[in-house]
Structure formats: structure tokens, C-alpha cells
Amino acid sequence: MGGADSRLVFVVQNAIEAGLDVMKNEPLLKAKIGLREIAQAANVSIATASRVLKGNTKVAPEIRKAVLEAAKNLGIDPSQRNKSKTLAFVLSNRAMLHVFHSRILSGAETYCAAHGWDIVFLSFHYSPQAPWTELHLPRVIQRQDLVRGVILSGTNSTNLTRLLTERGIQFVVFANNLIGDQDISKYDTVFADDMQGSEDATRNLIGLGHRNIWFVGNTGLPWFARCFEGYRHAMEASGLTPRESSTESEDETESGYLGTKSLLARDESVTAIVAGNDQCAHGVYKALRDRGLKVPNDISVVGCDDTVGSWLSPALSTTREFPELIGKQMVELALNRIADPGHPPQSVTVPTEFIKRDSCRPLAPSPEKDLEPVATTA
């Protein structure tokens, strides 16, 4: 081959290589052109279009809708720009090291790790009375290019769930602790079946011959209120009168202590106490000891949630709620929602188990108030 031919081959080869480079870079060029075209079609600035496509929630809903519709009309899928595999675990209005919710976090983290996702922890305190428009979300949650969804634990109110919904932020909520009149059918929820658990614990006491059974805890708090409903149902089903000694303290141990002290000060007839949770039962134990009473010789006690029950002396009979499984289920629903945003809201209820330990003793049935034995669930 002559010199001219060699030069011709060299030129053609360079042209082919240049064409391949252009083809390699074509998606980048399209992305850049696409952003400009989206902005023009939506009649917004390129910066605004970029914020919407990155998942920034600090954009007016009507502008966000216009940008997303423009992208769709141009054949561009904004979700392909958002490939982060990170969830945020938000603990609202509870102590950072709360024994129950920290175990929910542990279960959530384990499930995330097993499926190649990361999870970040955020402690968030807000007023349930504040209008949803005045709440200030943690900045990282507002970056949907960084955080794809929220695991909402702790104690939450309608204002936060409304804000997350309005901002288009995917979330799953631990529904036992929701405050306010909420239509939970609109979003993904996970429950612990604490009402059934409390009912099982109460029926266990009834089966042991107890009739003067009191509920202790702040029923103004949703988790205590749910346990009281289970207790009430078991009492009424057995022809017994539900009775409660409630205080307004939001400290769970203090609630048990003060509720029991009040009950004893009134010289009420009591042989057994159903505490709203294990921390509350800890307070019940302390109040009984202050009065010189022993568990279970003088008064039997059951708890709910099995967080610290095994640490008490005597070991507390209580309802196990499986918080690690709750965390797993919350992440599973969150990942399902991310994969299929249009799927109808899902709700999962995690069953409970009554754990018999050393805090209850049987009573001889009273002849004038003898009842048929009541089956219990162990």
C-alpha cells in the first residue's frame, strides 16, 4: 500500500474513532440538553429544573409538577437520576437511646445491610401542635437524591405525616405511637399487636384467679392507651370491671410509680396490676416496695413490650413485641414503595407473645365470685 493510501486509512480510522467517542458521550450530551429542554418546557430556570430532578423538596408543588410532566413528555425518567441506596431512620420525640426504638433501629439496619442499602439515624423533636407548614425537616431528608425514604419511629403526629406526604417523601411509620386523628390507610404502616398482647396478659391473670386487676399507666399516651384497650376487653369479656390508675407523666417509669402510689393511697382492693409497658412496670415495682409489698406474694404484675422485664427482680411476666422484626418489616415496606411508588398503601401487624416469668402467682378462687377458667395464650 502506497503513502497516499496509508494516509487515507489513517484519516478514516481517526474518523471512526472520533465517531465512537461521540457515541460514547451521547448520553451525557442528551442529559445536558435534556435538562435545558425540560427547563424551557416547564418555563423555569435550569437551576430550578435541576433542583426538582435531584429530589429537592424546597420547590413549590405546582412547579415540581410542571417540571416532572415536562420531563415525562420529553421521554426522560427523573428516577434514573436518583440512584442513592440510603434510607433515613427518624426517631421522633423520644430519648435517643430508648430501649424499644433502638431495637427497631437494629432490625432496620440489619435488613438494610442484607439488601445492600445504607441507613442513617436522625433524632427529631417537634411539637404535635405546630402547623405542618411550620415544621422544619432535617436537611438530609429533603435531599431525595441522597435519601430515598424514611423509616418513621418514635412518637409522631398528623403534622409530620402531612408534611412528608405534601413533599412527596416516601415513608413508613410505626403506627402504634401515632397521635391525633389520622387516616392511616393513606400510607404504609407497621403495628405491633400490643392490644392483643395486653389482652393475653390480662387473661393470664384472670386464669390465675385474680379479679381485682388494675391497669397502671398514662393512657393519654397512645401506646398506653392501646394496651389499656386490650386489658379492658379481657376484663369485660370475663364480666369484670376495668379499673385504671393513670397519671399525666410522660416519663414511663414515673407513670408506673405515681399511678401505683395513688392506687395504694386510696386503699383500693387490688391483687394484680397490668402495667402499660415494662418501664412502667419498673415504676410499679418501686412503688410496691416503698409500701413494703412484695411481687408476686402480695401483688402480681405483668408488663408489655419485653424490653427490661428480664432485668427486674423478680423477672417480669410480659408481652414480647419483637421490635427487631418491626424494624425489618418497616424497611421491607419502604423498599417495596421505592420500587413501586404507585402500589396501594400496605399495613403489617407483627404478632406478640406472652412470656411467663416470676411476677405472677395464682390465687385461690373466691367462692362468691368464682368464674370459669379463662384460656390464655402463652
Side-chain angles (χ1 to χ4, degrees):
M1 183 178 291
D5 292 335
S6 298
R7 285 194 298 275
L8 177 60
V9 170
F10 179 77
V11 170
V12 171
Q13 189 172 16
N14 281 351
I16 292 173
E17 290 174 353
L20 290 175
D21 286 341
V22 170
M23 290 174 65
K24 288 177 183 178
N25 291 327
E26 187 176 3
L28 295 177
L29 292 174
K30 281 188 176 180
K32 185 176 180 181
I33 294 173
L35 183 60
R36 184 180 296 110
E37 290 176 349
I38 291 171
Q40 291 174 349
N43 196 27
V44 299
S45 67
I46 293 178
T48 298
S50 177
R51 283 197 298 272
V52 172
L53 296 179
K54 286 181 179 179
N56 191 314
T57 58
K58 287 188 174 181
V59 179
E62 61 273 14
I63 294 178
R64 180 175 180 273
K65 180 180 179 181
V67 171
L68 294 178
E69 285 183 352
K72 181 179 179 180
N73 293 337
L74 291 168
I76 297 174
D77 183 2
S79 66
Q80 297 306 309
R81 295 171 174 265
N82 190 358
K83 290 298 183 181
S84 167
K85 298 185 72 175
T86 302
L87 300 176
F89 185 97
V90 177
L91 179 62
S92 303
N93 299 322
R94 301 305 292 269
M96 187 176 296
L97 298 179
H98 190 279
V99 63
F100 187 83
H101 294 278
S102 63
R103 289 174 60 184
I104 294 179
L105 171 61
S106 176
E109 191 278 331
T110 299
Y111 191 84
C112 279
H115 290 79
W117 282 69
D118 297 318
I119 192 165
V120 295
F121 173 84
L122 298 170
S123 180
F124 183 45
H125 292 268
Y126 65 95
S127 170
Q129 287 76 40
W132 71 269
T133 53
E134 296 181 8
L135 291 185
H136 300 284
L137 289 173
R139 291 182 180 179
V140 68
I141 295 178
Q142 301 178 48
R143 290 287 305 275
Q144 294 185 49
D145 57 325
L146 299 178
V147 170
R148 302 285 297 281
V150 173
I151 305 300
L152 203 55
S153 190
T155 305
N156 289 287
S157 307
T158 53
N159 50 0
L160 180 59
T161 54
R162 170 78 182 277
L163 176 58
L164 293 174
T165 301
E166 293 290 336
R167 294 285 182 85
I169 298 173
Q170 308 286 5
F171 68 93
V172 180
V173 63
F174 178 54
N176 291 62
N177 292 10
L178 286 173
I179 294 175
D181 185 16
Q182 305 209 32
D183 183 1
I184 60 174
S185 64
K186 293 181 179 179
Y187 36 81
D188 297 316
T189 57
V190 176
F191 286 90
D193 198 0
D194 50 1
M195 285 194 286
Q196 182 62 54
S198 182
E199 181 174 345
D200 291 342
T202 306
R203 289 171 64 85
N204 178 74
L205 290 171
I206 296 171
L208 292 174
H210 292 275
R211 301 295 177 260
N212 295 315
I213 307 169
W214 284 71
F215 182 89
V216 171
N218 180 0
T219 51
L221 299 174
W223 53 98
F224 283 146
R226 289 175 58 84
C227 286
F228 176 76
E229 284 303 306
Y231 154 83
R232 182 186 61 78
H233 187 270
M235 293 290 283
E236 292 178 346
S238 297
L240 301 172
T241 301
R243 289 172 288 183
E244 65 173 307
S245 182
S246 181
T247 70
E248 294 184 358
S249 174
E250 295 191 5
D251 181 288
E252 294 167 330
T253 303
E254 183 178 83
S255 175
Y257 180 78
L258 294 178
T260 305
K261 292 282 280 189
S262 174
L263 171 62
L264 297 176
R266 299 194 303 268
D267 289 326
E268 298 283 1
S269 181
V270 53
T271 64
I273 291 174
V274 176
N277 65 11
D278 284 17
Q279 294 281 5
C280 181
H282 185 200
V284 171
Y285 273 38
K286 186 175 186 301
L288 293 176
R289 285 173 180 151
D290 285 355
R291 189 68 177 265
L293 300 173
K294 293 183 178 180
V295 178
N297 293 352
D298 297 307
I299 295 181
S300 295
V301 181
V302 296
C304 186
D305 72 18
D306 195 31
T307 52
V308 300
S310 61
W311 306 344
L312 300 180
S313 180
L316 180 70
S317 295
T318 186
T319 299
R320 181 170 292 166
E321 294 188 3
F322 305 101
E324 290 85 0
L325 181 57
I326 292 170
K328 169 192 174 298
Q329 293 286 356
M330 293 179 77
V331 172
E332 185 174 353
L333 289 188
L335 298 187
N336 290 343
R337 174 63 52 204
I338 291 168
D340 186 5
H343 196 273
Q346 301 293 297
S347 182
V348 173
T349 298
V350 177
T352 58
E353 177 187 8
F354 183 68
I355 306 298
K356 296 181 180 180
R357 294 195 179 105
D358 306 321
S359 63
C360 301
R361 74 176 181 90
L363 290 183
S366 174
E368 66 274 13
K369 294 185 179 179
D370 192 13
L371 296 176
E372 292 297 322
V374 180
T376 61
T377 302

